[in-house]
Amino acid sequence: MKANQSMYRFSSEQTIAYELHDNCYLNITNRCTLRCRFCPKFNKQWDVQSYDLRLKREPDIIDVLTAIGDPRQYQQIVFCGLGEPTLRLPDLLEIATEIKNLGGKVRVNTDGLINWVRQKDTTPLFSGVIDSLSISLNAQNETVYDQHCRPPAQGAYPALLEFIARARDQVENVVVTAIDGLEGVDIDACREITEHLGVTFRKRQLDKVG
Ligand code: SF4
C-alpha cells in the first residue's frame, strides 16, 4: 500500500482518495446528471471495492490535494465516482493542473454530459490538463440509453456523441465504454459507433471500477 498518512487521515472521516490498480481514485462529489438503474448508489450500495464512497460534504481543493499526496507514486490520478466529477469542473481543472505541475498523470471518468449541462463546449479547457478521458456511452441508441441511464430530459444521448467527437480533438487518450450484460445493450454496435467517432472502445464489467 503506497497511500500516505494524509490519505488515511481523510479516509477515516470520509473517502476522498483511494488506491486501486496502482492508481489513486478521487471521489469529489456524489452528485450526478444521470440516475443510472445499474448504479450501486441507486441500489443503496455505497461501497466500491470495500471503500465507502458516501460523502457527508464535498471535499474542497486542499482536502483533495492533501488526500492525494505525491501524485508521482501512482500511475494515474483518476477522477471517478460515485458521482459525476465534471459537475465540479472549475475545481476539477484546478486540482488536475496542480497534479500535472507535480508530475502526475490525470484521467477523468465521465458521463460525457457536461457540455449538455452547461450548454457550451467545455472540452478546450481539458487540453493540456487532462491526459485521458474515459467516457460512458452505455448504449447504442437513445432509447436504450434513456432506459438504463434515465437522464433528466431528452437529448442527452446525441449531446454525449457530440462531446466524444469534440473531446477527441482536445485530449490525447479518449476511451469510450459500455457495460457488458445490460438488457438491450449491443456491445458490438457500441464498438462500431465508437470506432466511427475515431476513439478507442472498452467493454466494462458491471460494478468494476477502472
Ligand atoms: S453516472 Fe455513474 S455515479 Fe452517476 S448515476 Fe450513473 S453510474 Fe451512478
Side-chain angles (χ1 to χ4, degrees), residues 31-36 38-42 81-84 111:
R31 289 179 287 138
C32 270
T33 307
L34 299 169
R35 295 185 305 119
C36 305
F38 52 83
C39 181
K41 74 179 181 183
F42 288 113
L82 289 174
E84 173 50 44
D111 61 14

Side-chain angles (χ1 to χ4, degrees), residues 40-55:
K41 74 179 181 183
F42 288 113
N43 295 298
K44 298 192 169 59
Q45 171 64 261
W46 288 85
D47 284 11
V48 172
Q49 311 269 321
S50 81
Y51 293 102
D52 178 3
L53 298 186
R54 180 171 240 154
L55 292 170

Side-chain angles (χ1 to χ4, degrees), residues 191-209:
R191 188 190 308 277
E192 213 169 290
I193 291 167
T194 302
E195 286 171 359
H196 187 68
L197 288 166
V199 292
T200 305
F201 179 76
R202 185 167 66 85
K203 180 173 72 174
R204 284 186 53 218
Q205 302 301 320
L206 191 58
D207 295 339
K208 262 211 167 157
V209 177

Side-chain angles (χ1 to χ4, degrees), residues 27-36 39 41-42 46 53-55 57-59 80-92 109-111 114 117-118:
N27 178 36
I28 66 167
T29 184
N30 284 163
R31 289 179 287 138
C32 270
T33 307
L34 299 169
R35 295 185 305 119
C36 305
C39 181
K41 74 179 181 183
F42 288 113
W46 288 85
L53 298 186
R54 180 171 240 154
L55 292 170
R57 65 168 179 87
E58 290 187 345
C80 194
L82 289 174
E84 173 50 44
T86 62
L87 289 178
R88 291 187 63 189
L89 192 61
D91 290 346
L92 182 156
N109 292 356
T110 179
D111 61 14
I114 193 60
V117 169
R118 294 195 163 215

